[in-house]
Amino acid sequence: MTSKTDEAAGSADALGYEQARDELIEVVRRLETGGTTLEESLALWERGEELAKICRRWLDGARARLDAALAGPEVDEDADTDS
């Protein structure tokens, strides 16, 4: 039997960057607007923290892929001049 926390973590990991970002924007909007109970505000804050971590993981992964692509394979320039 899985807990609700485990299920939430699993579904959160399945979110794409844009989905997590859009939900995070909505969470921030709701927190800034106010009108929620303390419990609702805490739940929103916790969800926002989780969404921010998801976005950070996506961005870190994208940065690593860009760095790897920009580094590319090392070319031996001496080998090209010998022919």
Side-chain angles (χ1 to χ4, degrees), residues 8 10 21 24 27 29 37-38 43 51 57 66 75-76:
R21 180 203 60 211
L24 180 56
V27 165
R29 186 196 64 74
T37 66
L38 177 60
L51 292 164
R57 280 195 301 265
L66 284 172
V75 177
D76 185 6

Side-chain angles (χ1 to χ4, degrees), residues 18-44:
E18 289 80 8
Q19 293 170 310
R21 180 203 60 211
D22 291 346
E23 188 178 340
L24 180 56
I25 290 168
E26 179 61 20
V27 165
V28 170
R29 186 196 64 74
R30 288 182 61 195
L31 284 169
E32 288 178 341
T33 304
T36 58
T37 66
L38 177 60
E39 282 298 317
E40 290 169 333
S41 294
L42 286 172
L44 285 168

Side-chain angles (χ1 to χ4, degrees), residues 4-81:
K4 288 185 180 184
T5 305
D6 292 339
E7 290 174 8
S11 65
D13 290 339
L15 285 177
Y17 172 77
E18 289 80 8
Q19 293 170 310
R21 180 203 60 211
D22 291 346
E23 188 178 340
L24 180 56
I25 290 168
E26 179 61 20
V27 165
V28 170
R29 186 196 64 74
R30 288 182 61 195
L31 284 169
E32 288 178 341
T33 304
T36 58
T37 66
L38 177 60
E39 282 298 317
E40 290 169 333
S41 294
L42 286 172
L44 285 168
W45 179 270
E46 290 169 345
R47 181 62 177 161
E49 289 290 325
E50 181 181 352
L51 292 164
K53 287 178 186 175
I54 293 167
C55 289
R56 174 58 52 200
R57 280 195 301 265
W58 275 105
L59 292 172
D60 289 345
R63 169 57 64 197
R65 288 175 63 188
L66 284 172
D67 288 345
L70 291 174
E74 300 262 338
V75 177
D76 185 6
E77 292 180 17
D78 292 336
D80 291 339
T81 59

